[in-house]
Amino acid sequence: MSLVRILSRLLVFREPEEPRYAFTAGREDRPRERGPGADAAGDKTNKLREGRRVDNLLEQDRPLSTSLDENERLLREIFRLPENKDLVLRPFAVGTEPPRRALLVFMDGPTDKTVQNLAILQPLMLLAGLRLERDLEGEGPVPGTGDETARKELLRRLRETLLPGNEVTMTDTFRDMASEVLAGNTVLFVDGLDSALSVETKGWATRGVGTPQVEAVIRGPHEAFTEQVRINVTLVRKILRRSSLVTDFVKVGQMSAYQCAVLYLDDIANPDLVAEVRRRLESIQADYVNESGLLEQFIEDSTTGLAPQVLATERPDRVAAGLVEGRVVILLDGNPWALIVPTTFFSMMHAAEDAYARWPFGSFARLVRYVGLALALLLPGSYIALVTYHQEFIPTDLLLAFTGAREQVPFPSVVEVLLMEIAFELIREAGIRIPGTVGTTLGIVGALILGQAAVAANIVSPILIVIVALTALGSFAIPNYPFSLSVRTLRFAYIALASFLGLFGIMVGLFVHLALLARLTSFGVPYFAPVAPVTLGAPDHLWRSPVWEQERRPDYVDPLRRRRQPRVSRGWVRAKKKDDERPGGR
């Protein structure tokens, strides 16, 4: 009977039920007063209306009131008191004669209580009478709050003589006040004043500067970014001690605004590039952007690109190198990765350690990476094409070895390749998700046991284990993780093309792939620059040139200063030649 009832409900036509909410165009949805859920619907609508009213209050830049009671009432409405237990309202009296009512507003947790007690409460409650009631350099006693001039004078004296905090700013609207409180600062309200004072009391729990986890090097700095944007800016400034290094802050996100720092060298970076970066950041209309990967997707030129168009790095030294070349760096608060724009295909294949090794060894390391890129992208597809369609390309002895190894395998080559590739991707993903050394052990043991068991069971041939291992090593040789993800995904497209069209399909896919990459741009810069189109600049893209020959900055970023060092940067060579040219010189 239950099966019949289910079928009747699915197949028999029924009149649609009347909706709970009656919709009127241009007005809010109103719940109908019917049924037992009417009270709950009414509470929900009231909450929605209250939230919209508060949002309008913040969006309209409502100014602060001179009445402390009115400001406190609106504060309770904005921060949802008494339901919200994080916000603290601390009423007290400023120690003047007569005392003045005041109110401290701060978040419990992100605020440093020690700084708050010593830099705000103690001076205002204990020292205000000593400092304000006496004449300050002939300025007269503390003024009242009867007119605008008197209010400004009182606010100035509070700010300049009684608040020893290192950063004290004035806020005039509820929106600025809410931003300061949510940032971990303490806001001071005084009765009779239509402005509030924000004192820096941030005390967030932070992680210390550690070592790079993804871009580790043997020779070079071992410092990595943290989750605090101010610490990250400090790490960059420790390397680039230059007055032209500009840090501009842009808030990203509507519901939870995150501080986004834009760094550039004002005397090198192209102003149009800086303006474009700032324009894209300010135009983001999203509720929540808390990670650099999300921010990258909002600002990249092509959302359907086959490769990342923004270079992500966790190393301050690489950020400094990008700034010196005329690029722009984006740091997001709460994220230990920096975004460097614009970027190119060759930047994705560069590693931080290339610059710290002598140029022959740096060039050899890059050659190995390009070989790894070719293996990770084309090796499985090429194996399928040769075994299935182009056996005449394989030497006879090697072909006999392939045939003998695959004699007991019941599947075609494309099926066994897909089985092993998917199995390896599962092992890699599982190794990432399992924390600690267990993940590494799982990857090694899982790959060995799975490969050996598959060969012993005649599911795959032994040669395929070698192919899959070389493919994995090639993908690990790619230094940029987002670019490695792109290569790993496109590898399956080349496997499909090889299974249908052989080497011809691989060539067609490679041609289309290169054409699509050539169409990509990163903030207007061609993805294959400076090779396609050919431009001038430092010979540091395909191979690593000697550092004394890198005289010019990359011209595809159009920097204000083209040359970064003179034609003869090794001055001791010139001095040595002059000494040798002197009479009697050795």
Side-chain angles (χ1 to χ4, degrees):
M1 291 296 295
S2 60
L3 179 61
V4 174
R5 290 179 181 177
I6 294 175
L7 291 177
S8 63
R9 290 180 180 178
L10 293 176
L11 299 178
V12 177
F13 175 77
R14 298 176 181 272
E15 291 290 338
E17 297 181 358
E18 186 178 1
R20 292 180 57 191
Y21 298 96
F23 176 76
T24 303
R27 301 178 63 184
E28 294 182 351
D29 295 347
R30 296 182 178 180
R32 294 176 178 266
E33 293 293 336
R34 65 178 190 86
D39 294 338
D43 295 340
K44 181 179 179 181
T45 304
N46 292 334
K47 284 288 185 180
L48 179 62
R49 290 177 178 175
E50 182 181 353
R52 290 178 177 176
R53 183 172 63 254
V54 173
D55 291 341
N56 292 333
L57 185 147
L58 296 177
E59 292 174 359
Q60 293 174 0
D61 279 349
R62 179 167 176 172
L64 300 178
S65 173
T66 56
S67 172
L68 186 62
D69 296 331
E70 177 67 14
N71 291 333
E72 183 178 354
R73 183 186 68 81
L74 292 176
L75 281 171
R76 293 180 178 275
E77 185 176 349
I78 291 173
F79 289 99
R80 276 71 170 178
L81 269 67
E83 291 83 0
N84 187 7
K85 301 301 187 297
D86 287 338
L87 188 74
V88 178
L89 301 180
R90 170 65 163 89
F92 68 100
V94 181
T96 59
E97 187 61 38
R100 300 178 186 275
R101 296 171 56 219
L103 181 68
L104 279 187
V105 183
F106 59 93
M107 281 287 179
D108 188 13
T111 306
D112 191 339
K113 301 293 183 62
T114 303
V115 176
Q116 195 176 76
N117 293 332
L118 297 179
I120 302 177
L121 291 175
Q122 181 174 337
L124 292 178
M125 298 176 69
L126 301 179
L127 304 178
L130 300 177
R131 297 298 303 270
L132 289 180
E133 292 302 326
R134 67 180 182 180
D135 293 346
L136 298 178
E137 299 179 359
E139 295 179 359
V142 58
T145 57
D147 55 359
E148 184 68 21
T149 303
R151 286 197 294 267
K152 290 183 178 180
E153 180 65 18
L154 176 59
L155 193 66
R156 185 187 68 83
R157 292 200 184 184
L158 287 173
R159 180 180 180 180
E160 295 181 0
T161 63
L162 286 175
L163 295 177
N166 59 347
E167 183 177 347
V168 180
T169 58
M170 186 173 61
T171 59
D172 298 324
T173 62
F174 281 96
R175 184 172 68 175
D176 295 340
M177 177 274 307
S179 300
E180 293 293 331
V181 172
L182 295 174
N185 296 329
T186 300
V187 178
L188 169 66
F189 290 88
V190 179
D191 192 19
L193 301 182
D194 57 356
S195 298
L197 294 177
S198 174
V199 184
E200 184 182 9
T201 56
K202 297 184 183 71
W204 303 93
T206 60
R207 176 175 61 92
V209 178
T211 58
Q213 300 297 320
V214 180
E215 298 178 293
V217 297
I218 297 177
R219 182 178 181 180
H222 291 270
E223 288 182 339
F225 288 124
T226 68
E227 284 75 14
Q228 284 291 326
V229 66
R230 279 296 183 184
I231 297 178
N232 296 339
V233 172
T234 303
L235 291 176
V236 177
R237 287 194 175 274
K238 188 175 70 172
I239 301 175
L240 283 180
R241 303 179 184 181
R242 189 172 179 85
S243 60
S244 60
L245 179 58
V246 178
T247 303
D248 187 15
F249 285 94
V250 179
K251 290 186 177 181
V252 178
Q254 302 295 324
M255 184 173 294
S256 179
Y258 276 77
Q259 287 284 1
C260 188
V262 180
L263 280 71
Y264 61 93
L265 288 174
D266 186 63
D267 55 345
I268 296 178
N270 190 337
D272 295 335
L273 174 61
V274 177
E276 178 64 18
V277 172
R278 188 183 293 110
R279 184 185 70 85
R280 295 191 186 186
L281 293 175
E282 292 175 349
S283 63
I284 295 176
Q285 301 293 328
D287 287 343
Y288 188 61
V289 183
N290 70 314
E291 211 278 328
S292 59
L294 298 176
L295 183 63
E296 175 183 348
Q297 299 175 52
F298 277 107
I299 64 174
E300 60 186 358
D301 292 25
S302 176
T303 57
T304 58
L306 301 179
Q309 300 137 57
V310 177
L311 179 61
T313 179
E314 59 177 343
R315 299 187 59 87
D317 57 332
R318 197 168 188 184
V319 166
L323 290 172
V324 171
E325 288 182 347
R327 306 178 196 268
V328 179
V329 175
I330 303 172
L331 296 172
L332 185 63
D333 193 13
N335 191 264
W337 288 85
L339 303 179
I340 303 178
V341 295
T343 188
T344 62
F345 164 79
F346 305 102
S347 299
M348 296 294 173
M349 298 300 295
H350 294 176
E353 203 169 19
D354 292 349
Y356 306 135
R358 298 179 65 243
W359 68 270
F361 312 119
S363 300
F364 176 75
R366 289 185 183 177
L367 177 62
V368 171
R369 293 192 204 108
Y370 285 112
V371 172
L373 173 63
L375 292 176
L377 191 64
L378 303 176
L379 183 59
S382 301
Y383 169 76
I384 294 174
L386 292 176
V387 172
T388 307
Y389 297 100
H390 309 284
Q391 296 89 352
E392 65 275 8
F393 287 177
I394 306 176
T396 305
D397 296 338
L398 185 59
L399 180 60
L400 292 176
F402 282 3
T403 306
R406 298 194 67 256
E407 185 176 1
Q408 302 295 328
V409 177
F411 302 111
S413 59
V414 60
V415 174
E416 59 176 343
V417 167
L418 288 176
L419 287 176
M420 292 306 300
E421 287 291 342
I422 294 175
F424 185 80
E425 292 296 332
L426 288 175
I427 293 174
R428 183 184 341 216
E429 192 68 18
I432 294 175
R433 299 293 168 251
I434 297 178
T437 57
V438 180
T440 306
T441 306
L442 174 67
I444 298 174
V445 176
L448 290 176
I449 295 177
L450 183 62
Q452 182 64 30
V455 172
N458 292 327
I459 298 177
V460 297
S461 59
I463 188 63
L464 186 61
I465 302 299
V466 179
I467 297 295
V468 174
L470 289 176
T471 304
L473 292 176
S475 63
F476 288 141
I478 300 175
N480 187 268
Y481 180 71
F483 191 63
S484 175
L485 288 178
S486 173
V487 172
R488 287 164 52 188
T489 305
L490 292 174
R491 178 170 66 240
F492 290 94
Y494 282 99
I495 290 175
L497 290 173
S499 63
F500 285 105
L501 300 174
L503 291 179
F504 176 74
I506 293 179
M507 296 303 296
V508 171
L510 190 61
F511 177 80
V512 174
H513 188 189
L514 292 176
L516 293 176
L517 288 180
R519 290 185 56 189
L520 287 180
T521 57
S522 176
F523 284 79
V525 174
Y527 201 63
F528 280 135
V531 175
V534 178
T535 60
L536 298 175
D540 188 26
H541 40 277
L542 282 174
W543 58 85
R544 176 70 185 174
S545 62
V547 66
W548 59 85
E549 290 185 359
Q550 299 179 23
E551 302 168 359
R552 295 180 176 273
R553 293 181 173 86
D555 63 342
Y556 53 80
V557 298
D558 196 16
L560 298 179
R561 299 169 60 180
R562 303 290 180 132
R563 185 175 291 274
R564 67 168 123 193
Q565 62 191 31
R567 294 186 59 184
V568 181
S569 57
R570 298 189 299 172
W572 63 272
V573 177
R574 179 185 298 176
K576 182 179 179 180
K577 289 182 178 180
K578 290 183 178 180
D579 292 339
D580 293 341
E581 292 175 357
R582 292 177 182 175
R586 293 183 300 174

